[in-house]
Amino acid sequence: MTEASPIETRLGYVTAWRTWRVWSSVGGLSLHSVAAAPALGEWLPLRPMEARCGYREMRPPACECESCPGNDNKCGIYAYREAPSTVTHAMGVVGRVALWGTVIEHATGYRGQFAYPIDVAYGHCTWCGSAERPKLLPFEASVALAPGQGEGWVEWVCREHERAALARLRSLETGKPSQRWAGRPGIEIAPAIAETYSVEVGSP
């Protein structure tokens, strides 16, 4: 994102698109920022996510920004102007998000001070295309691979790649207690995420 220009939002919000990883545990499903450390990246239900500068928390600090986000740094909660067709990081689900507070506009999206999900709209398949060009899928056409016991990141695939993806996950458990990975239709998992965050399942 380049050519930043600030947008001050005080009485409303900016609607944009972003991606989340999905964590499965005994406590249920939770959304996490894909580019943040797990301890910093969890989105809590019914609480706005506030931008934090992880670099300032390093010892010694690797950033001296005074505001997050700001024109002199890269901090903030990132979101796309449109549903992403190309990303350079792993992701789980795609949906819309509300950004408010200080929002800085870029060529392809925004950086915001506060954010909360509006809906979840797509799964995707990491086996179709490539990591840089994932195939977005409506939840009806996606499968969520999640551990039946224990905890772990939910992996999303299309129905065609479900068997191969499950075989790979199970092969990584060699010598470890089985997590009993299983596939469930994405259309069953999406409402569980939406209920946790009191948001909608969006229509592509």
Side-chain angles (χ1 to χ4, degrees):
M1 298 181 182
T2 57
E3 300 178 3
S5 58
I7 303 174
E8 296 289 344
T9 61
R10 300 191 180 279
L11 299 178
Y13 59 84
V14 173
T15 300
W17 290 83
R18 69 168 285 123
T19 65
W20 293 276
R21 289 193 295 174
V22 179
W23 181 258
S24 175
S25 68
V26 292
L29 300 168
S30 57
L31 297 175
H32 290 251
S33 297
V34 297
L40 297 175
E42 182 178 3
W43 291 56
L44 299 175
L46 304 180
R47 290 181 57 184
M49 172 64 86
E50 182 175 1
R52 294 172 59 187
C53 180
Y55 295 105
R56 293 175 63 184
E57 298 172 6
M58 295 180 178
R59 294 293 179 266
C63 180
E64 298 181 356
C65 65
E66 297 182 357
S67 63
C68 190
N71 281 324
D72 58 347
N73 58 55
K74 296 182 179 180
C75 303
I77 301 167
Y78 282 72
Y80 297 96
R81 193 182 304 277
E82 299 177 353
S85 58
T86 301
V87 297
T88 57
H89 48 64
M91 66 178 183
V93 294
V94 179
R96 293 185 302 161
V97 65
L99 298 173
W100 71 94
T102 299
V103 179
I104 297 177
E105 184 174 12
H106 295 266
T108 59
Y110 310 90
R111 287 185 291 134
Q113 181 181 5
F114 298 100
Y116 195 78
I118 294 175
D119 60 25
V120 288
Y122 295 99
H124 80 294
C125 183
T126 55
W127 290 62
C128 291
S130 65
E132 291 75 26
R133 190 173 293 278
K135 181 178 181 180
L136 296 185
L137 298 170
F139 288 118
E140 292 85 349
S142 68
V143 177
L145 309 181
Q149 63 181 33
E151 55 187 20
W153 295 113
V154 176
E155 183 171 331
W156 298 78
V157 294
C158 64
R159 294 194 185 101
E160 180 181 348
H161 290 115
E162 177 183 2
R163 182 174 298 180
L166 274 175
R168 179 180 178 277
L169 287 170
R170 290 167 178 165
S171 70
L172 297 175
E173 295 182 327
T174 303
K176 303 176 184 178
S178 174
Q179 290 183 283
R180 298 181 182 175
W181 290 90
R184 291 179 58 188
I187 196 61
E188 293 181 7
I189 297 295
I193 298 171
E195 182 178 0
T196 296
Y197 289 88
S198 295
V199 299
E200 301 293 326
V201 177
S203 300

